[in-house]
Amino acid sequence: MNEVFFFEELLNSEDDAITIVNREKKVIYWNNAAEQTYQIAKEQIINQPITNFFSHDDLMVMNVLNTMKPVKNAYHRPRKDKHVVVNSSPVFNQENTLIGVISIERDITHIVKLNDNLESTSQELQELKQKMTPASSNSPFAKLKGDSQALHQMIRLASKTADTDATTLILGESGTGKEVCARAIHDASKRKDAPFIPVNCGAIPQALFESELFGYESGSFTGAEKGGKAGKIEMADGGTIFLDEVGELPLDMQVKLLRVLQENRIYRIGNSRGKQIDVRFIAATNQDLEKLMQENKFRSDLFYRLNVIQLTMPPLRDRIKDISILAKTFLKQFAVKYQTSVPELPTDTMEVLQQYHWPGNIREIRNLMERIIILHEGATLTRQDVLSFLPGSFSKASLSPIDTLPLEKENIEKISIEQALDRCNGNKSKAAKQLGISRVTLYQKIKKYNLNN
């Protein structure tokens, strides 16, 4: 019988929590490590149903009792404040009848919390790095004013693009700053000392497209300049050509442009030999090129050649945080130009600017600030002043329901996260999955709403 004492001493000397539960779910063994891990004394739990101390759904032993299958090295969270790695096995007698379950649990709560803190800190460092990069006055991307997440994301992708010669397609509504982005990519690239040639494809008469883009030789047609003329693509040799409104290219020009992209060779009108070129192509459009392809107005092979890297300029309505930055920047810029003072922008005035939908995007806010500097009188720009400068369709009535919308949205989001964490007993991975967001995003939201979990 001495073996029993040796066996009990062996179990008690273990650093892992050991629990034995019989078929009736009563605890028949609870070692010292289990007492320390869960702060439940043996006298309290022995011969008591384990479900009196833990939620049924959070118990691995209950799962093993039901399935009669062992669990090996599984991550488990038996309580909101405990993370463990568990090995649990069913115990059978000589007749192969289930008589209970033994569970061995290693407490890894401290490790999990350290990992959570490390993951959160790493994310904060990454966000700080993203904010610092575009904010640098030495960066060409500093010309893209703003501090919104949407803009930072776009700049981060554009910065990576600048390190390559990859053909790039910039999408975005009119006035979002596609040319500013293209020029920043060029200025941040190894081609920065070579030409940047912008071409507005929507402003070239159809009859002049070929000579404008590809150039011509002397005497190739009536009126041709003596000695010929280099086209825009050839002028960009060694540098970058920016084809704005590329969706306006006629189909016959699309074929010729595709040939240049494939061969890196330019053919002037009247020259069949061609000339080797080294040009980086950046194209931009505010049109739906995929729709144009379906309508046979844009060649699919050209689209795929241009669409190696795709960037999307976010519209100003998705950059609410940037509206005040842009408004103040343009006010100062035009105040200097017209030698006048910068009017003060009170909070309620800024709210009007932030609630307007800005269909013309940055171009529209720039023009509005110039108009204000020229026409406004007084040291302060009031809410009513701004409304008088904005389109008549944007009335005071359209402002009132929007005032509380961001707050209401945040409140709903906070409640949803709290409920998900509660349902998942604090398990962030499960909660993030239920919410349909990444775990990193969930950490950001928990920090934002001060949810202590």
mmCIF file of all heavy atoms in Angstrom, residues 75 77 79-83 109 112-113 116-117 417-432 439 442-443 445-447 449-453:
data_model
loop_
_atom_site.group_PDB
_atom_site.id
_atom_site.type_symbol
_atom_site.label_atom_id
_atom_site.label_comp_id
_atom_site.label_asym_id
_atom_site.label_seq_id
_atom_site.Cartn_x
_atom_site.Cartn_y
_atom_site.Cartn_z
ATOM 1 N N TYR A 75 -4.246 24.321 -26.529
ATOM 2 C CA TYR A 75 -4.413 25.606 -25.825
ATOM 3 C C TYR A 75 -5.837 25.648 -25.283
ATOM 4 O O TYR A 75 -6.803 25.309 -25.957
ATOM 5 C CB TYR A 75 -4.180 26.775 -26.772
ATOM 6 C CG TYR A 75 -4.653 28.102 -26.199
ATOM 7 C CD1 TYR A 75 -3.911 28.755 -25.218
ATOM 8 C CD2 TYR A 75 -5.842 28.679 -26.623
ATOM 9 C CE1 TYR A 75 -4.347 29.952 -24.672
ATOM 10 C CE2 TYR A 75 -6.286 29.880 -26.088
ATOM 11 C CZ TYR A 75 -5.541 30.519 -25.110
ATOM 12 O OH TYR A 75 -5.980 31.699 -24.564
ATOM 13 N N ARG A 77 -8.608 27.758 -22.266
ATOM 14 C CA ARG A 77 -8.855 28.878 -21.355
ATOM 15 C C ARG A 77 -9.998 28.506 -20.410
ATOM 16 O O ARG A 77 -11.159 28.831 -20.666
ATOM 17 C CB ARG A 77 -9.196 30.128 -22.150
ATOM 18 C CG ARG A 77 -9.041 31.405 -21.315
ATOM 19 C CD ARG A 77 -9.048 32.623 -22.200
ATOM 20 N NE ARG A 77 -8.777 33.821 -21.408
ATOM 21 C CZ ARG A 77 -8.776 35.049 -21.907
ATOM 22 N NH1 ARG A 77 -9.005 35.246 -23.180
ATOM 23 N NH2 ARG A 77 -8.524 36.079 -21.136
ATOM 24 N N ARG A 79 -10.708 29.596 -17.492
ATOM 25 C CA ARG A 79 -11.274 30.772 -16.838
ATOM 26 C C ARG A 79 -10.810 32.009 -17.562
ATOM 27 O O ARG A 79 -9.819 31.978 -18.302
ATOM 28 C CB ARG A 79 -10.814 30.836 -15.364
ATOM 29 C CG ARG A 79 -11.810 30.246 -14.420
ATOM 30 C CD ARG A 79 -11.551 30.455 -12.957
ATOM 31 N NE ARG A 79 -10.307 31.036 -12.549
ATOM 32 C CZ ARG A 79 -9.777 30.857 -11.330
ATOM 33 N NH1 ARG A 79 -10.387 30.079 -10.463
ATOM 34 N NH2 ARG A 79 -8.661 31.440 -10.996
ATOM 35 N N LYS A 80 -11.532 33.100 -17.366
ATOM 36 C CA LYS A 80 -11.214 34.329 -18.088
ATOM 37 C C LYS A 80 -9.788 34.797 -17.831
ATOM 38 O O LYS A 80 -9.135 35.364 -18.704
ATOM 39 C CB LYS A 80 -12.213 35.420 -17.667
ATOM 40 C CG LYS A 80 -12.200 36.645 -18.549
ATOM 41 C CD LYS A 80 -13.327 37.577 -18.155
ATOM 42 C CE LYS A 80 -13.352 38.793 -19.079
ATOM 43 N NZ LYS A 80 -14.447 39.721 -18.751
ATOM 44 N N ASP A 81 -9.276 34.532 -16.633
ATOM 45 C CA ASP A 81 -7.951 35.025 -16.252
ATOM 46 C C ASP A 81 -6.859 33.974 -16.381
ATOM 47 O O ASP A 81 -5.736 34.187 -15.939
ATOM 48 C CB ASP A 81 -7.980 35.547 -14.807
ATOM 49 C CG ASP A 81 -8.335 34.454 -13.804
ATOM 50 O OD1 ASP A 81 -8.955 33.450 -14.213
ATOM 51 O OD2 ASP A 81 -7.993 34.602 -12.615
ATOM 52 N N LYS A 82 -7.177 32.821 -17.006
ATOM 53 C CA LYS A 82 -6.192 31.744 -17.076
ATOM 54 C C LYS A 82 -6.043 31.195 -18.503
ATOM 55 O O LYS A 82 -7.027 30.927 -19.191
ATOM 56 C CB LYS A 82 -6.574 30.583 -16.146
ATOM 57 C CG LYS A 82 -6.353 30.872 -14.670
ATOM 58 C CD LYS A 82 -4.872 31.056 -14.354
ATOM 59 C CE LYS A 82 -4.665 31.536 -12.928
ATOM 60 N NZ LYS A 82 -3.248 31.836 -12.662
ATOM 61 N N HIS A 83 -4.772 31.048 -18.905
ATOM 62 C CA HIS A 83 -4.441 30.403 -20.177
ATOM 63 C C HIS A 83 -3.584 29.189 -19.849
ATOM 64 O O HIS A 83 -2.597 29.311 -19.110
ATOM 65 C CB HIS A 83 -3.657 31.351 -21.078
ATOM 66 C CG HIS A 83 -4.354 32.645 -21.367
ATOM 67 N ND1 HIS A 83 -5.058 32.872 -22.521
ATOM 68 C CD2 HIS A 83 -4.452 33.790 -20.632
ATOM 69 C CE1 HIS A 83 -5.554 34.099 -22.494
ATOM 70 N NE2 HIS A 83 -5.201 34.674 -21.370
ATOM 71 N N THR A 109 -0.370 31.668 -18.595
ATOM 72 C CA THR A 109 -1.009 32.989 -18.572
ATOM 73 C C THR A 109 0.009 34.112 -18.736
ATOM 74 O O THR A 109 -0.187 35.048 -19.510
ATOM 75 C CB THR A 109 -1.789 33.182 -17.255
ATOM 76 O OG1 THR A 109 -2.727 32.108 -17.115
ATOM 77 C CG2 THR A 109 -2.535 34.508 -17.262
ATOM 78 N N VAL A 112 1.285 34.327 -22.327
ATOM 79 C CA VAL A 112 0.273 34.871 -23.237
ATOM 80 C C VAL A 112 0.168 36.381 -23.089
ATOM 81 O O VAL A 112 0.092 37.119 -24.073
ATOM 82 C CB VAL A 112 -1.101 34.209 -22.983
ATOM 83 C CG1 VAL A 112 -2.206 34.932 -23.756
ATOM 84 C CG2 VAL A 112 -1.061 32.733 -23.385
ATOM 85 N N LYS A 113 0.189 36.861 -21.840
ATOM 86 C CA LYS A 113 0.094 38.306 -21.617
ATOM 87 C C LYS A 113 1.313 39.034 -22.176
ATOM 88 O O LYS A 113 1.192 40.120 -22.759
ATOM 89 C CB LYS A 113 -0.057 38.594 -20.120
ATOM 90 C CG LYS A 113 -1.453 38.261 -19.593
ATOM 91 C CD LYS A 113 -1.604 38.605 -18.121
ATOM 92 C CE LYS A 113 -3.023 38.338 -17.651
ATOM 93 N NZ LYS A 113 -3.184 38.620 -16.208
ATOM 94 N N ASP A 116 0.815 39.146 -25.882
ATOM 95 C CA ASP A 116 -0.191 40.160 -26.224
ATOM 96 C C ASP A 116 0.410 41.556 -26.188
ATOM 97 O O ASP A 116 0.180 42.380 -27.078
ATOM 98 C CB ASP A 116 -1.376 40.087 -25.252
ATOM 99 C CG ASP A 116 -2.261 38.877 -25.516
ATOM 100 O OD1 ASP A 116 -2.042 38.219 -26.550
ATOM 101 O OD2 ASP A 116 -3.145 38.591 -24.694
ATOM 102 N N ASN A 117 1.188 41.811 -25.129
ATOM 103 C CA ASN A 117 1.818 43.132 -25.003
ATOM 104 C C ASN A 117 2.817 43.380 -26.127
ATOM 105 O O ASN A 117 2.902 44.484 -26.670
ATOM 106 C CB ASN A 117 2.537 43.246 -23.648
ATOM 107 C CG ASN A 117 1.564 43.317 -22.487
ATOM 108 O OD1 ASN A 117 0.414 43.702 -22.664
ATOM 109 N ND2 ASN A 117 2.018 42.940 -21.298
ATOM 110 N N ILE A 417 -17.922 44.721 -29.439
ATOM 111 C CA ILE A 417 -16.653 44.124 -29.016
ATOM 112 C C ILE A 417 -16.765 43.583 -27.599
ATOM 113 O O ILE A 417 -16.297 42.476 -27.297
ATOM 114 C CB ILE A 417 -15.512 45.159 -29.127
ATOM 115 C CG1 ILE A 417 -15.232 45.481 -30.602
ATOM 116 C CG2 ILE A 417 -14.226 44.643 -28.455
ATOM 117 C CD1 ILE A 417 -14.291 46.640 -30.819
ATOM 118 N N GLU A 418 -17.393 44.359 -26.701
ATOM 119 C CA GLU A 418 -17.577 43.906 -25.315
ATOM 120 C C GLU A 418 -18.375 42.608 -25.271
ATOM 121 O O GLU A 418 -18.031 41.666 -24.537
ATOM 122 C CB GLU A 418 -18.304 44.990 -24.505
ATOM 123 C CG GLU A 418 -17.429 46.184 -24.156
ATOM 124 C CD GLU A 418 -18.188 47.264 -23.409
ATOM 125 O OE1 GLU A 418 -19.371 47.495 -23.727
ATOM 126 O OE2 GLU A 418 -17.603 47.883 -22.504
ATOM 127 N N GLN A 419 -19.444 42.535 -26.060
ATOM 128 C CA GLN A 419 -20.290 41.337 -26.060
ATOM 129 C C GLN A 419 -19.540 40.131 -26.618
ATOM 130 O O GLN A 419 -19.662 39.024 -26.093
ATOM 131 C CB GLN A 419 -21.557 41.605 -26.878
ATOM 132 C CG GLN A 419 -22.514 42.587 -26.210
ATOM 133 C CD GLN A 419 -23.697 42.940 -27.096
ATOM 134 O OE1 GLN A 419 -23.689 42.708 -28.307
ATOM 135 N NE2 GLN A 419 -24.735 43.516 -26.502
ATOM 136 N N ALA A 420 -18.754 40.364 -27.686
ATOM 137 C CA ALA A 420 -17.988 39.262 -28.286
ATOM 138 C C ALA A 420 -16.947 38.728 -27.311
ATOM 139 O O ALA A 420 -16.773 37.512 -27.175
ATOM 140 C CB ALA A 420 -17.317 39.728 -29.575
ATOM 141 N N LEU A 421 -16.241 39.625 -26.610
ATOM 142 C CA LEU A 421 -15.239 39.202 -25.627
ATOM 143 C C LEU A 421 -15.889 38.438 -24.479
ATOM 144 O O LEU A 421 -15.339 37.462 -23.966
ATOM 145 C CB LEU A 421 -14.478 40.419 -25.098
ATOM 146 C CG LEU A 421 -13.474 41.060 -26.062
ATOM 147 C CD1 LEU A 421 -13.012 42.411 -25.536
ATOM 148 C CD2 LEU A 421 -12.278 40.150 -26.289
ATOM 149 N N ASP A 422 -17.080 38.890 -24.095
ATOM 150 C CA ASP A 422 -17.792 38.224 -23.001
ATOM 151 C C ASP A 422 -18.234 36.833 -23.426
ATOM 152 O O ASP A 422 -18.090 35.868 -22.671
ATOM 153 C CB ASP A 422 -18.997 39.078 -22.591
ATOM 154 C CG ASP A 422 -19.642 38.559 -21.310
ATOM 155 O OD1 ASP A 422 -18.914 38.412 -20.313
ATOM 156 O OD2 ASP A 422 -20.855 38.290 -21.311
ATOM 157 N N ARG A 423 -18.762 36.724 -24.657
ATOM 158 C CA ARG A 423 -19.198 35.412 -25.160
ATOM 159 C C ARG A 423 -18.038 34.431 -25.267
ATOM 160 O O ARG A 423 -18.192 33.241 -25.044
ATOM 161 C CB ARG A 423 -19.850 35.568 -26.545
ATOM 162 C CG ARG A 423 -21.249 36.115 -26.548
ATOM 163 C CD ARG A 423 -21.927 35.885 -27.902
ATOM 164 N NE ARG A 423 -21.184 36.445 -29.001
ATOM 165 C CZ ARG A 423 -21.324 37.694 -29.441
ATOM 166 N NH1 ARG A 423 -22.160 38.518 -28.839
ATOM 167 N NH2 ARG A 423 -20.614 38.124 -30.465
ATOM 168 N N CYS A 424 -16.866 34.966 -25.632
ATOM 169 C CA CYS A 424 -15.687 34.115 -25.830
ATOM 170 C C CYS A 424 -14.829 34.022 -24.576
ATOM 171 O O CYS A 424 -13.672 33.576 -24.652
ATOM 172 C CB CYS A 424 -14.858 34.653 -26.994
ATOM 173 S SG CYS A 424 -15.747 34.672 -28.563
ATOM 174 N N ASN A 425 -15.383 34.473 -23.447
ATOM 175 C CA ASN A 425 -14.670 34.394 -22.164
ATOM 176 C C ASN A 425 -13.312 35.077 -22.240
ATOM 177 O O ASN A 425 -12.336 34.623 -21.651
ATOM 178 C CB ASN A 425 -14.514 32.935 -21.741
ATOM 179 C CG ASN A 425 -14.307 32.799 -20.231
ATOM 180 O OD1 ASN A 425 -14.571 33.736 -19.482
ATOM 181 N ND2 ASN A 425 -13.832 31.643 -19.811
ATOM 182 N N GLY A 426 -13.233 36.170 -22.997
ATOM 183 C CA GLY A 426 -11.996 36.937 -23.092
ATOM 184 C C GLY A 426 -11.016 36.434 -24.132
ATOM 185 O O GLY A 426 -9.950 37.020 -24.310
ATOM 186 N N ASN A 427 -11.347 35.364 -24.853
ATOM 187 C CA ASN A 427 -10.444 34.820 -25.870
ATOM 188 C C ASN A 427 -10.474 35.738 -27.095
ATOM 189 O O ASN A 427 -11.438 35.780 -27.854
ATOM 190 C CB ASN A 427 -10.890 33.402 -26.258
ATOM 191 C CG ASN A 427 -9.881 32.715 -27.162
ATOM 192 O OD1 ASN A 427 -9.422 33.300 -28.127
ATOM 193 N ND2 ASN A 427 -9.551 31.474 -26.836
ATOM 194 N N LYS A 428 -9.367 36.471 -27.298
ATOM 195 C CA LYS A 428 -9.340 37.496 -28.346
ATOM 196 C C LYS A 428 -9.371 36.894 -29.746
ATOM 197 O O LYS A 428 -9.956 37.471 -30.665
ATOM 198 C CB LYS A 428 -8.108 38.388 -28.169
ATOM 199 C CG LYS A 428 -8.126 39.196 -26.872
ATOM 200 C CD LYS A 428 -6.924 40.113 -26.780
ATOM 201 C CE LYS A 428 -6.911 40.896 -25.477
ATOM 202 N NZ LYS A 428 -6.672 40.034 -24.306
ATOM 203 N N SER A 429 -8.735 35.753 -29.938
ATOM 204 C CA SER A 429 -8.736 35.121 -31.264
ATOM 205 C C SER A 429 -10.156 34.741 -31.679
ATOM 206 O O SER A 429 -10.588 35.004 -32.805
ATOM 207 C CB SER A 429 -7.847 33.877 -31.266
ATOM 208 O OG SER A 429 -6.502 34.244 -31.054
ATOM 209 N N LYS A 430 -10.903 34.123 -30.743
ATOM 210 C CA LYS A 430 -12.278 33.734 -31.041
ATOM 211 C C LYS A 430 -13.154 34.967 -31.248
ATOM 212 O O LYS A 430 -13.997 35.005 -32.156
ATOM 213 C CB LYS A 430 -12.850 32.887 -29.896
ATOM 214 C CG LYS A 430 -12.288 31.481 -29.820
ATOM 215 C CD LYS A 430 -12.978 30.701 -28.705
ATOM 216 C CE LYS A 430 -12.417 29.285 -28.602
ATOM 217 N NZ LYS A 430 -13.062 28.544 -27.485
ATOM 218 N N ALA A 431 -12.952 35.977 -30.407
ATOM 219 C CA ALA A 431 -13.757 37.200 -30.518
ATOM 220 C C ALA A 431 -13.522 37.890 -31.850
ATOM 221 O O ALA A 431 -14.466 38.338 -32.510
ATOM 222 C CB ALA A 431 -13.427 38.148 -29.365
ATOM 223 N N ALA A 432 -12.243 37.973 -32.256
ATOM 224 C CA ALA A 432 -11.917 38.604 -33.535
ATOM 225 C C ALA A 432 -12.567 37.850 -34.692
ATOM 226 O O ALA A 432 -13.084 38.457 -35.635
ATOM 227 C CB ALA A 432 -10.401 38.659 -33.721
ATOM 228 N N ARG A 439 -6.969 39.901 -35.459
ATOM 229 C CA ARG A 439 -6.660 40.015 -34.041
ATOM 230 C C ARG A 439 -5.960 41.341 -33.738
ATOM 231 O O ARG A 439 -6.206 41.964 -32.710
ATOM 232 C CB ARG A 439 -5.759 38.846 -33.628
ATOM 233 C CG ARG A 439 -5.536 38.764 -32.120
ATOM 234 C CD ARG A 439 -4.811 37.496 -31.739
ATOM 235 N NE ARG A 439 -4.461 37.510 -30.327
ATOM 236 C CZ ARG A 439 -3.851 36.515 -29.715
ATOM 237 N NH1 ARG A 439 -3.519 35.436 -30.381
ATOM 238 N NH2 ARG A 439 -3.550 36.599 -28.440
ATOM 239 N N LEU A 442 -8.492 43.992 -33.507
ATOM 240 C CA LEU A 442 -9.201 43.888 -32.234
ATOM 241 C C LEU A 442 -8.391 44.524 -31.113
ATOM 242 O O LEU A 442 -8.940 45.245 -30.268
ATOM 243 C CB LEU A 442 -9.496 42.422 -31.909
ATOM 244 C CG LEU A 442 -10.245 42.192 -30.577
ATOM 245 C CD1 LEU A 442 -11.585 42.905 -30.572
ATOM 246 C CD2 LEU A 442 -10.435 40.695 -30.338
ATOM 247 N N TYR A 443 -7.061 44.289 -31.088
ATOM 248 C CA TYR A 443 -6.214 44.913 -30.065
ATOM 249 C C TYR A 443 -6.304 46.437 -30.157
ATOM 250 O O TYR A 443 -6.362 47.137 -29.142
ATOM 251 C CB TYR A 443 -4.754 44.485 -30.243
ATOM 252 C CG TYR A 443 -4.437 43.134 -29.640
ATOM 253 C CD1 TYR A 443 -4.002 42.075 -30.435
ATOM 254 C CD2 TYR A 443 -4.569 42.918 -28.280
ATOM 255 C CE1 TYR A 443 -3.721 40.829 -29.897
ATOM 256 C CE2 TYR A 443 -4.289 41.681 -27.724
ATOM 257 C CZ TYR A 443 -3.862 40.639 -28.522
ATOM 258 O OH TYR A 443 -3.590 39.424 -27.982
ATOM 259 N N LYS A 445 -8.828 48.223 -31.263
ATOM 260 C CA LYS A 445 -10.148 48.651 -30.791
ATOM 261 C C LYS A 445 -10.226 48.573 -29.263
ATOM 262 O O LYS A 445 -10.813 49.448 -28.629
ATOM 263 C CB LYS A 445 -11.243 47.773 -31.404
ATOM 264 C CG LYS A 445 -11.284 47.780 -32.924
ATOM 265 C CD LYS A 445 -11.751 49.094 -33.484
ATOM 266 C CE LYS A 445 -11.900 49.020 -34.990
ATOM 267 N NZ LYS A 445 -12.253 50.331 -35.576
ATOM 268 N N ILE A 446 -9.650 47.512 -28.691
ATOM 269 C CA ILE A 446 -9.654 47.367 -27.227
ATOM 270 C C ILE A 446 -8.931 48.534 -26.575
ATOM 271 O O ILE A 446 -9.380 49.103 -25.582
ATOM 272 C CB ILE A 446 -8.999 46.017 -26.824
ATOM 273 C CG1 ILE A 446 -9.922 44.849 -27.196
ATOM 274 C CG2 ILE A 446 -8.690 45.991 -25.321
ATOM 275 C CD1 ILE A 446 -9.286 43.483 -27.037
ATOM 276 N N LYS A 447 -7.805 48.921 -27.185
ATOM 277 C CA LYS A 447 -7.051 50.060 -26.665
ATOM 278 C C LYS A 447 -7.822 51.364 -26.846
ATOM 279 O O LYS A 447 -7.888 52.211 -25.944
ATOM 280 C CB LYS A 447 -5.700 50.153 -27.373
ATOM 281 C CG LYS A 447 -4.820 51.278 -26.850
ATOM 282 C CD LYS A 447 -3.479 51.309 -27.558
ATOM 283 C CE LYS A 447 -2.629 52.471 -27.058
ATOM 284 N NZ LYS A 447 -1.338 52.557 -27.759
ATOM 285 N N TYR A 449 -11.068 51.886 -27.011
ATOM 286 C CA TYR A 449 -12.251 52.013 -26.148
ATOM 287 C C TYR A 449 -11.944 51.703 -24.683
ATOM 288 O O TYR A 449 -12.870 51.621 -23.857
ATOM 289 C CB TYR A 449 -13.367 51.097 -26.650
ATOM 290 C CG TYR A 449 -13.826 51.443 -28.050
ATOM 291 C CD1 TYR A 449 -13.825 50.482 -29.070
ATOM 292 C CD2 TYR A 449 -14.254 52.736 -28.371
ATOM 293 C CE1 TYR A 449 -14.234 50.812 -30.353
ATOM 294 C CE2 TYR A 449 -14.662 53.054 -29.649
ATOM 295 C CZ TYR A 449 -14.648 52.096 -30.630
ATOM 296 O OH TYR A 449 -15.071 52.413 -31.904
ATOM 297 N N ASN A 450 -10.637 51.532 -24.351
ATOM 298 C CA ASN A 450 -10.236 51.245 -22.964
ATOM 299 C C ASN A 450 -10.995 50.053 -22.376
ATOM 300 O O ASN A 450 -11.551 50.123 -21.280
ATOM 301 C CB ASN A 450 -10.447 52.477 -22.075
ATOM 302 C CG ASN A 450 -9.529 53.613 -22.445
ATOM 303 O OD1 ASN A 450 -8.339 53.397 -22.697
ATOM 304 N ND2 ASN A 450 -10.062 54.814 -22.499
ATOM 305 N N LEU A 451 -11.033 48.969 -23.130
ATOM 306 C CA LEU A 451 -11.716 47.772 -22.663
ATOM 307 C C LEU A 451 -10.720 46.890 -21.940
ATOM 308 O O LEU A 451 -9.863 46.265 -22.548
ATOM 309 C CB LEU A 451 -12.339 47.011 -23.849
ATOM 310 C CG LEU A 451 -13.370 47.784 -24.674
ATOM 311 C CD1 LEU A 451 -13.817 46.958 -25.861
ATOM 312 C CD2 LEU A 451 -14.565 48.148 -23.815
ATOM 313 N N ASN A 452 -10.808 46.839 -20.646
ATOM 314 C CA ASN A 452 -9.887 46.017 -19.855
ATOM 315 C C ASN A 452 -10.403 44.593 -19.846
ATOM 316 O O ASN A 452 -11.491 44.307 -19.355
ATOM 317 C CB ASN A 452 -9.807 46.533 -18.418
ATOM 318 C CG ASN A 452 -9.227 47.933 -18.375
ATOM 319 O OD1 ASN A 452 -8.267 48.215 -19.078
ATOM 320 N ND2 ASN A 452 -9.812 48.807 -17.572
ATOM 321 N N ASN A 453 -9.580 43.730 -20.418
ATOM 322 C CA ASN A 453 -10.017 42.333 -20.525
ATOM 323 C C ASN A 453 -8.931 41.408 -19.992
ATOM 324 O O ASN A 453 -7.792 41.543 -20.376
ATOM 325 C CB ASN A 453 -10.330 42.014 -21.989
ATOM 326 C CG ASN A 453 -10.878 40.637 -22.138
ATOM 327 O OD1 ASN A 453 -11.865 40.303 -21.513
ATOM 328 N ND2 ASN A 453 -10.220 39.823 -22.954
#
